[in-house]
Structure formats: C-alpha cells, structure tokens
Amino acid sequence: DTGVSQNPRHKITKRGQNVTFRCDPISEHNRLYWYRQTLGQGPEFLTYFQNEAQLEKSRLLSDRFSAERPKGSFSTLEIQRTEQGDSAMYLCASSSQGQMNTEAFFGQGTRLTVV
Amino acid sequence: GIQVEQSPPDLILQEGANSTLRCNFSDSVNNLQWFHQNPWGQLINLFYIPSGTKQNGRLSATTVATERYSLLYISSSQTTDSGVYFCAVVRGYSSASKIIFGSGTRLSIRP
C-alpha cells in the first residue's frame, strides 16, 4: 500500500459544472476525512466517515456538496453547480480506530480551479 | 470548539540556524500531529506526539499535554526545510473526532 491516493490531482472546470473527486485511503484504515484548503490558510474540516457511516459534516459543507463512502473503502466528494469560491485544494486523510485515535495520513490533494 | 494557535506565523532564517515553532491548544487533546506542507500542497507527517518528546534527525518535538502546548524544533536548518508547518489535534476518543488544524507557521530558510 502506497498511502492515501487522490484523483484527479488537478481539475479545471467552468462555473456551474459538477465535479467529483475520489479518495482511496490506506487499506486497513476505517476512518476517512475530507478537508478544504485555500491559499494561506490551514486545512478546514469538511466531513468524516467511520467505515461507511458519515459521522460529522461541517457547516462549510453546503447543499451543493455531498460525500459518500459506499462500501467503507474509497470515498467520493461531489460538488454540484460549482462556484468560483469553490476553488481550493481538497485534501483527503485516513486513519484507523483503536483504543485511541491513531496517526492520520493525507493524500496529495486535488486542486480545483473554477473559471 | 477547540482552538489551535501556532506561532510565529512567519519565520525567516539563514541556513544553519535553529528554530522553535509553538502550538497552543485550548482544551485537552488525545492526539497531536505535526505536518510539513510541501510546495505541491501535500501534508508530510513529521511527528505523531500526543505527549512526550520524539526526535527524528534534525527535528524533534515535545508535547506537554497538561499545559496544552507542543513545540517543534528544527536544528541546523536547510533550504529544503522551507514551507508551512502545521500542528493538528484531535479532541476526544469518541467516534466523531475530527482533526483540527492551526493556521500554520511559514518558514523560509535563506541560503
């Protein structure tokens, strides 16, 4: 296993189009997180899964955003009717649950540009 | 929710200098990690350190959980150390435990 994988690495889309990103976590990890990062800021939490259950969603995640993790493995993040303000780096992370939370690892990110 | 503050926000040093980056958090945490974000945006794991001290080459970190802070030390800095360093914490053991990031320290190492 080479770590957390995100696809695509870059996406340029026109305003109003829908986009979907994919995240493949480290295989034995049951927790998966999505974050958004804009220039000069730290990553902001979007949503979090444990196995296939979406346990928490940020208020940043408007109705145009939806995330799924149908079989508790890979996850998708879809943005509908994209706006220029959606331009950002979208980061995915995974970790495993034990008696304590364990170390999280991040993918390389998907950089979205809405024109 | 828990607040994570990093200082300084920016740091400019000459190659070979030592530096200390600080992370303060407003409540007790169960996990704390330090990351280095490379120029391509990927977050590279440096330390997983909810408490105690760890060292990895020129880098070391100390977390004093009872006093709610962590320090990242970089010795004999190199230009490749440049980038943004983030501290991130996890608040609780519960199943809903998101990772909260500080705003980062931007480190620039001049040759």
Side-chain angles (χ1 to χ4, degrees):
Chain A
D1 192 355
T2 56
V4 180
S5 176
Q6 291 188 246
N7 287 286
R9 295 287 309 281
H10 302 274
K11 179 70 177 178
I12 300 174
T13 191
K14 292 184 178 180
R15 189 174 50 187
Q17 297 295 305
N18 300 342
V19 294
T20 300
F21 309 142
R22 177 177 170 126
C23 173
D24 288 87
I26 293 171
S27 58
E28 63 268 25
H29 285 180
N30 59 354
R31 292 184 168 177
L32 188 147
Y33 307 81
W34 284 100
Y35 285 78
R36 181 174 69 186
Q37 186 178 22
T38 53
L39 197 62
Q41 304 297 315
E44 296 174 298
F45 172 78
L46 292 178
T47 190
Y48 153 69
F49 291 85
Q50 184 161 301
N51 299 312
E52 65 275 10
Q54 187 173 20
L55 296 184
E56 189 170 350
K57 290 173 61 173
S58 165
R59 281 170 283 184
L60 292 174
L61 217 62
S62 75
D63 291 346
R64 297 184 297 105
F65 288 71
S66 62
E68 294 182 341
R69 193 182 183 198
K71 297 182 179 179
S73 57
F74 73 91
S75 175
T76 58
L77 178 68
E78 181 183 17
I79 308 174
Q80 297 182 325
R81 305 181 302 283
T82 52
E83 301 173 356
Q84 287 188 323
D86 297 331
S87 296
M89 174 75 91
Y90 290 85
L91 296 164
C92 174
S94 71
S95 69
S96 61
Q97 180 190 17
Q99 289 189 335
M100 295 179 64
N101 295 310
T102 62
E103 188 173 4
F105 294 86
F106 281 78
Q108 294 174 301
T110 295
R111 188 174 297 280
L112 173 66
T113 302
V114 181
V115 297
Chain B
I2 191 170
Q3 304 297 313
V4 182
E5 295 182 355
Q6 291 186 242
S7 60
D10 296 280
L11 188 58
I12 301 173
L13 298 171
Q14 288 296 124
E15 197 169 24
N18 301 330
S19 58
T20 301
L21 282 57
R22 187 177 181 100
C23 171
N24 292 334
F25 39 96
S26 61
D27 207 339
S28 59
V29 300
N30 294 309
N31 291 343
L32 188 145
Q33 289 185 241
W34 283 98
F35 297 91
H36 177 210
Q37 190 161 41
N38 67 21
W40 298 272
Q42 184 167 12
L43 290 164
I44 307 298
N45 289 40
L46 296 178
F47 293 102
Y48 170 69
I49 186 166
S51 64
T53 297
K54 291 186 178 180
Q55 181 156 6
N56 183 4
R58 296 181 297 102
L59 274 60
S60 64
T62 295
T63 297
V64 184
T66 53
E67 297 186 21
R68 300 180 185 170
Y69 73 89
S70 183
L71 301 173
L72 177 68
Y73 305 96
I74 304 174
S75 64
S76 304
S77 54
Q78 302 174 359
T79 55
T80 51
D81 294 331
S82 296
V84 184
Y85 290 79
F86 288 103
C87 167
V89 304
V90 175
R91 172 67 181 88
Y93 289 108
S94 71
S95 58
S97 297
K98 60 190 178 187
I99 306 165
I100 305 297
F101 281 80
S103 55
T105 292
R106 182 174 298 276
L107 178 64
S108 299
I109 305 297
R110 301 289 168 82

